[in-house]
Amino acid sequence: MAKVGIVMGSDSDMPVMAKAAQVLDELGVSYEMRIISAHREPDEFFEYAKTAEEKGFKVIIAGAGMAAHLPGMCAAIFPMPVIGIPMHTTSLGGRDSLYSIVQMPTGIPVATVAIGGGANAGILAAKILATSDPELLQKLKDYKEALKDSVIEKDKKLQQVGYKNY
């Protein structure tokens, strides 16, 4: 049973949303990924959000651009955490998406990551789940250690070859 719902309004969001899925794959967290437009197919969207809890979702990651209603509408219906990913837009660089997602009314919070922050959304979803899953918590600790090791290796390379040859 999927623990995380990943939903986007358009397939153009896939490169960013795939980063969330990749992190969840790496950590062994099950998810279901869908393309559903809150504006173009509201009945399907409402059905998705209303049934997410009974499907076993504990967190929804919702990506959206421009008006960016998808994360907020998920949060209005789904009783558990929603993480919004603002998408980069050509008109305003994603600020429109960011403001739409982060400026939610009292009582309808959406955790919001950076514009295009798919990987961080996946990590945040896993952290939420890890509050009641010691095995997942250990995987997150290992993931963080691997990030540290990666930086150490990059620094070693820099020290060996210098910045001009890096």
Side-chain angles (χ1 to χ4, degrees):
M1 179 181 300
K3 291 185 179 180
V4 177
I6 300 176
V7 64
M8 64 202 92
S10 170
D11 63 345
S12 64
D13 302 334
M14 186 62 74
V16 171
M17 303 307 285
K19 292 176 183 174
Q22 289 165 352
V23 167
L24 295 174
D25 283 338
E26 187 174 336
L27 296 170
V29 175
S30 60
Y31 60 88
E32 173 188 290
M33 185 181 284
R34 300 283 310 274
I35 299 171
I36 302 173
S37 172
H39 295 116
R40 295 182 191 101
E41 49 181 7
D43 292 336
E44 288 81 358
F45 165 75
F46 282 112
E47 180 66 21
Y48 172 83
K50 286 180 181 179
T51 60
E53 182 182 8
E54 67 188 52
K55 287 181 187 174
F57 295 175
K58 304 297 182 198
V59 181
I60 291 177
I61 299 172
M66 299 175 72
H69 288 117
L70 194 60
M73 288 303 297
C74 283
I77 298 168
F78 182 65
M80 289 183 265
V82 173
I83 302 167
I85 305 174
M87 295 296 156
H88 184 272
T89 59
T90 55
S91 57
L92 297 172
R95 291 184 308 276
D96 48 345
S97 309
L98 174 64
Y99 294 156
S100 293
I101 296 171
V102 80
Q103 293 288 15
M104 293 301 298
T106 300
I108 313 296
V110 174
T112 309
V113 297
I115 296 167
N120 272 350
I123 293 166
L124 182 55
K127 285 185 170 196
I128 291 167
L129 295 172
T131 61
S132 62
D133 184 337
E135 183 179 329
L136 181 55
L137 179 59
Q138 185 58 54
K139 288 179 182 179
L140 282 162
K141 289 176 180 179
D142 295 344
Y143 181 89
K144 188 172 181 179
E145 191 66 25
L147 291 176
K148 175 184 155 190
D149 292 344
S150 171
V151 173
I152 290 169
E153 288 303 313
K154 289 174 185 176
D155 182 55
K156 283 180 185 176
K157 179 180 176 184
L158 174 63
Q159 300 311 310
Q160 290 173 352
V161 301
Y163 78 93
K164 291 180 182 177
N165 298 314
Y166 192 82

